């Protein structure tokens, strides 16, 4: 293979890897915001459940206070031996006590306490998951930074050994074609722009001995020779 063509293929591979790493790094703030939103939603669920428990508790306390007041009135009646004279009032108070006690039972808060526990459990699980995700993101971040440093070094060495004219072509196409200046030609077609190459162009590309550009997208073309029968038999076969 033409040495410059081989370098261009390597250069494109480096550019693709670097591009993917930069995109990944750029997406980190969005990822972090999404994680924080998950935590915030779980925190709000806990706060809402706590509020419901607190509201319930104060309603319960008010009713219990009412029961106590009525019971106080009852014992006062008993002490003053007025029960017989004011029998009707006595029964009215008893009725009020029964009513208040029933109400207290109605606002039993065990269900609310259980839902608070569930919300707290979910918050704990989300915190754990988000922490793990952040740890993974941090590791990936350092790996990508290191990879980018290596790529910069490898790239400058490759660029240094390239023919200046070939490099200029590569850079011009790369700028124009979203960072992808090299394309494989397969079955007579440029695999990136999918335009069929003229037969004599494809024949030249098949030899991999010179720099040939796609007539349509201008990308620099290379050809991957078909594997020998033995090598193909060893390789896993694609499904289609
Ligand atoms: Zn093309």
């Amino acid at each position: 293979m033409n040495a410059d063509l081989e370098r261009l293929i390597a250069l494109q591979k480096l550019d693709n890897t670097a591009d993917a790493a930069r995109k990944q790094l750029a997406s980190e703030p969005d990822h972090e915001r999404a994680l924080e939103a998950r935590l915030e939603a779980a925190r709000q669920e806990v706060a809402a459940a706590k509020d419901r428990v607190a509201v319930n508790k104060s309603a319960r306390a008010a009713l219990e206070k009412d029961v106590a007041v009525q019971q106080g009135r009852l014992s006062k009646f008993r002490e003053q031996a007025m029960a017989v004279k004011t029998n009707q009032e006595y029964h009215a108070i008893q009725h009020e006590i029964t009513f208040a006690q029933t109400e207290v039972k109605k606002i039993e808060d065990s269900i609310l306490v259980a839902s608070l526990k569930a919300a707290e459990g979910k918050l704990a699980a989300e915190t754990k998951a988000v922490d793990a995700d952040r740890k993974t993101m941090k590791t990936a971040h350092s790996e990508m930074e290191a990879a980018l440093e290596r790529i910069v070094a490898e790239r400058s060495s490759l660029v240094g050994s390239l023919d200046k004219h070939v490099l200029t072509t590569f850079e011009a196409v790369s700028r124009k074609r979203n960072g992808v200046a090299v394309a494989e030609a397969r079955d007579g077609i440029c695999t990136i722009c999918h335009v069929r190459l003229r037969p004599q162009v494809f024949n030249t590309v098949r030899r991999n001995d010179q720099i040939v550009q796609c007539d349509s997208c201008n990308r620099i073309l290379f050809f991957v020779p078909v594997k020998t029968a033995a090598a193909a038999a060893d390789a896993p076969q694609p499904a289609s």
Side-chain angles (χ1 to χ4, degrees), residues 182-198:
V182 176
E184 182 191 344
R186 197 190 304 146
D187 302 328
I189 288 168
C190 166
T191 57
I192 297 189
C193 77
H194 304 293
V195 164
R196 181 162 292 279
L197 307 167
R198 284 175 289 135

Side-chain angles (χ1 to χ4, degrees), residues 53-234:
V53 169
V55 165
N56 202 57
K57 258 191 187 143
S58 60
R60 210 182 140 91
L63 276 173
E64 279 167 348
K65 198 177 159 191
D66 195 35
V67 170
V69 169
Q70 304 294 353
Q71 276 169 342
R73 283 176 70 194
L74 261 193
S75 31
K76 212 170 166 192
F77 273 112
R78 285 198 202 95
E79 280 164 18
Q80 296 172 358
M82 288 166 76
V84 179
K85 271 187 244 168
T86 56
N87 200 29
Q88 209 178 347
E89 196 174 352
Y90 185 86
H91 283 297
I93 294 168
Q94 266 189 328
H95 181 77
E96 275 182 59
I97 289 174
T98 310
F99 177 78
Q101 280 171 337
T102 310
E103 289 299 296
V104 168
K105 274 181 196 146
K106 265 193 214 162
I107 53 171
E108 193 51 68
D109 54 13
S110 62
I111 291 167
L112 293 176
V113 169
S115 99
L116 172 59
K117 279 223 170 92
E120 283 171 340
K122 195 182 167 195
L123 175 59
E126 286 287 77
T127 304
K128 208 174 155 191
V130 165
D131 281 349
D133 201 317
R134 279 181 177 146
K135 211 173 154 192
T136 305
M137 190 163 60
K138 205 176 160 191
T139 308
H141 182 98
S142 326
E143 283 169 2
M144 282 183 291
E145 296 275 19
L148 282 173
E149 262 179 51
R150 278 197 306 274
I151 287 170
V152 167
E154 277 181 50
R155 201 182 189 283
S156 77
S157 131
L158 262 177
V159 162
S161 59
L162 259 175
D163 173 81
K164 292 282 164 282
H165 178 71
V166 170
L167 178 63
T168 305
T169 305
F170 175 90
E171 284 175 340
V173 179
S174 179
R175 262 197 305 278
K176 232 173 126 182
R177 296 292 176 194
N178 211 16
V180 183
V182 176
E184 182 191 344
R186 197 190 304 146
D187 302 328
I189 288 168
C190 166
T191 57
I192 297 189
C193 77
H194 304 293
V195 164
R196 181 162 292 279
L197 307 167
R198 284 175 289 135
Q200 67 267 39
V201 171
F202 185 54
N203 280 335
T204 311
V205 173
R206 283 171 69 101
R207 292 200 300 270
N208 278 330
D209 62 0
Q210 54 184 291
I211 304 299
V212 182
Q213 288 175 262
C214 171
D215 284 337
S216 173
C217 70
N218 292 124
R219 290 190 177 90
I220 298 151
L221 299 166
F222 67 96
F223 179 73
V224 180
V226 179
K227 286 173 194 152
T228 64
D234 286 341

Side-chain angles (χ1 to χ4, degrees), residues 35-49 116 118-127 130:
L35 292 180
E36 189 48 44
R38 264 173 72 180
L39 282 183
E40 188 50 31
R43 282 190 210 110
Q44 277 176 4
E45 268 181 53
V46 170
L116 172 59
E120 283 171 340
K122 195 182 167 195
L123 175 59
E126 286 287 77
T127 304
V130 165

